[in-house]
DNA sequence: GCGTGTCAATACGCCAGCGTATGGAAAAGA
DNA sequence: TCTTTTCCATACGCTGGCGTATTGACACGC
């Protein structure tokens, strides 16, 4: 147990610093020497703990996946009432810009192909959790899926709006935020009637098939 | 008008290739020499049309902003009925994965600081357009804003879900997609009663103030 | 005290991408 | 024709980051 004044970094310290770099500079910003500078050491340290840069990315992604599933879902899952779950989910949008930046950076990353696997697993676990929450309200599988897709979209989109248009997003301490959350709760929560009437409306209207070049 | 067999690239060709590179490899992937290889030339060509890499990024962003505002908004704006506008907005989610990838890459980019300005302007213009659409339904300014924020969130979130969880997203040619769009239309469209009753519910419930470390 | 194991610094070669300088080919004017 | 302009190729130096090799400073067991 060497732990003198020299601090002595661990592999987890490097992985955590890599996660931080993902949030601040993107996946491409996970560079050995810059992170070493952040940590106040040289890359001589890094190559003792890891064989190469890719291993660092994997370690960071594993930590991320563990945090974003086990810890967070366990925390939200303590909420027994499905309605309270959705509400907490919404309010969670306003916590930790850092975590949302990491999510966004990973979601748009392309270069190390395995990043997509981690993003897909985490996203699917989140969506499934929301589906289960709606199913617990008595919705059919199809309806629970529809509501969950919409709620998950609102969650993800809210993260992006808060990042791209911070001025347009109500601050958590303002009354406008509380009102907006209440508004979302009403909109994202099926009524008792919906839960009973579990089939979608039968008439499928037509809509114009878009032929434009690039989408909105 | 030199237009022999030698093709002769223009600055716009480079800007368009840069936009493509943003979608495929991210903003960091906008590198002069790789793009030159894509175009079948060398960087000797590039440095005749542009002074440096930053100028290429600016040109690409200007093209992007012009396309994502003038062209697209004009196209959707041809729809006179506000309800039809929102519906078209939703169906536009399923068009052009390339455009959505560019949007996502720019949204998560950090390194050239001016990228954020373009993202902010485009995003704000889109949000304002949606706000106006809801206001045209007779909603108050506050309610139009709430509905628009939710609809914009659904739009952005749907783009991300389609990218991160393509298997979970209904294909445009499947009936599930039509049903989901109809479901969203009902959920994202205020009822006549809401339009008349333009004040939010008066009772503001409390909810647990989250103290967790990183958000969901 | 002395070797051994742990963690980090330094020095090196390598490669990719940026930006410059210069030259060249081909079309356009004159 | 011959000069000028336009567009691109080639060659060069520079920088930043990757990975390796080597050395060094402690801490600990003995």
């Amino acid at each position: 147990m060497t732990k003198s004044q020299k601090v002595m970094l661990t592999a987890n310290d490097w992985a955590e610093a890599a996660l931080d770099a993902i949030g601040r500079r993107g996946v491409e910003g996970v560079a050995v020497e810059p992170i070493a500078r952040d940590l106040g050491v040289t890359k001589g340290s890094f190559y003792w703990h890891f064989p190469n840069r890719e291993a660092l990315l994997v370690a960071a992604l594993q930590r991320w996946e563990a945090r974003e599933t086990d810890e967070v879902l366990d925390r939200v899952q303590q909420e027994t009432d499905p309605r309270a779950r959705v509400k907490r989910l919404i309010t969670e949008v306003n916590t930790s810009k850092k975590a949302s930046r990491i999510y966004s950076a990973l979601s748009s990353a392309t270069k190390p192909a395995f990043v997509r696997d981690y993003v897909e697993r985490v996203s699917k676990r989140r969506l499934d959790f929301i589906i289960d929450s709606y199913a617990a309200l008595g919705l059919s599988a199809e309806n629970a899926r529809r509501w969950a897709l919409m709620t998950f979209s609102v969650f993800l989109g809210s993260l992006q709006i808060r990042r791209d248009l911070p001025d347009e997003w109500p601050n958590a301490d303002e009354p406008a935020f509380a009102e907006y959350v209440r508004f979302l709760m009403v909109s994202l929560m099926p009524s008792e009637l919906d839960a009973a009437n579990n089939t979608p409306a039968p008439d499928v209207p037509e809509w114009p098939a878009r032929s434009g070049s690039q989408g909105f």
Side-chain angles (χ1 to χ4, degrees), chain A:
Chain A
M1 301 305 172
T2 77
K3 196 58 77 63
S4 66
Q5 279 82 331
K6 314 286 289 184
V7 192
M8 292 292 144
L9 298 178
T10 77
N12 280 339
D13 293 331
W14 280 94
E16 204 58 45
L19 267 180
D20 196 69
I22 290 175
R24 293 209 318 259
R25 303 188 290 263
V27 175
E28 307 296 312
V30 180
V32 175
E33 284 158 322
I35 294 180
R37 285 193 285 272
D38 289 348
L39 292 174
V41 294
T42 68
K43 60 178 178 173
S45 166
F46 173 79
Y47 284 100
W48 193 91
H49 296 286
F50 294 91
N52 49 36
R53 186 194 106 111
E54 185 172 309
L56 175 63
L57 265 178
V58 170
L61 287 169
Q62 284 175 347
R63 274 181 89 78
W64 177 72
E65 180 174 6
R67 275 219 303 253
E68 299 298 312
T69 57
D70 305 340
E71 292 188 20
V72 178
L73 282 191
D74 280 1
R75 208 173 67 206
V76 181
Q77 213 156 12
Q78 288 178 345
E79 211 76 54
T80 53
D81 180 23
R83 285 183 167 78
R85 280 190 187 174
V86 174
K87 182 186 235 175
R88 169 157 292 188
L89 197 63
I90 294 169
T91 58
E92 293 266 348
V93 171
N94 267 56
T95 66
S96 180
K97 293 205 176 194
K98 176 184 168 187
S100 74
R101 294 198 68 86
I102 293 178
Y103 195 0
S104 168
L106 293 177
S107 177
S108 71
T110 57
K111 238 180 46 182
F114 57 84
V115 175
R116 311 252 72 223
D117 302 336
Y118 288 85
V119 172
E120 184 171 345
R121 278 199 300 273
V122 168
S123 301
K124 176 146 182 47
R125 223 163 279 167
R126 289 181 172 188
L127 175 61
D128 287 342
F129 174 77
I130 304 175
I131 292 177
D132 291 345
S133 297
Y134 277 107
L137 288 173
L139 294 184
S140 71
E142 301 85 22
N143 272 337
R145 175 173 193 75
R146 280 190 267 269
W147 283 96
L149 272 179
M150 179 170 67
T151 295
F152 194 32
S153 296
V154 168
F155 173 77
L156 293 173
S158 298
L159 289 180
Q160 185 167 346
I161 292 178
R162 197 163 66 103
R163 182 163 36 86
D164 294 344
L165 295 172
D167 296 339
E168 311 293 323
W169 193 255
N171 272 330
D173 50 0
E174 294 172 358
F177 175 69
E179 291 169 11
Y180 183 57
V181 170
R182 283 184 44 258
F183 168 77
L184 285 183
M185 280 302 294
V186 175
S187 303
L188 297 179
M189 202 54 81
S191 67
E192 319 291 339
L193 192 138
D194 287 332
N197 193 7
N198 238 342
T199 55
D203 56 308
V204 177
E206 89 296 341
W207 50 79
R210 292 288 313 118
S211 61
S213 47
Q214 61 278 354
F216 174 74

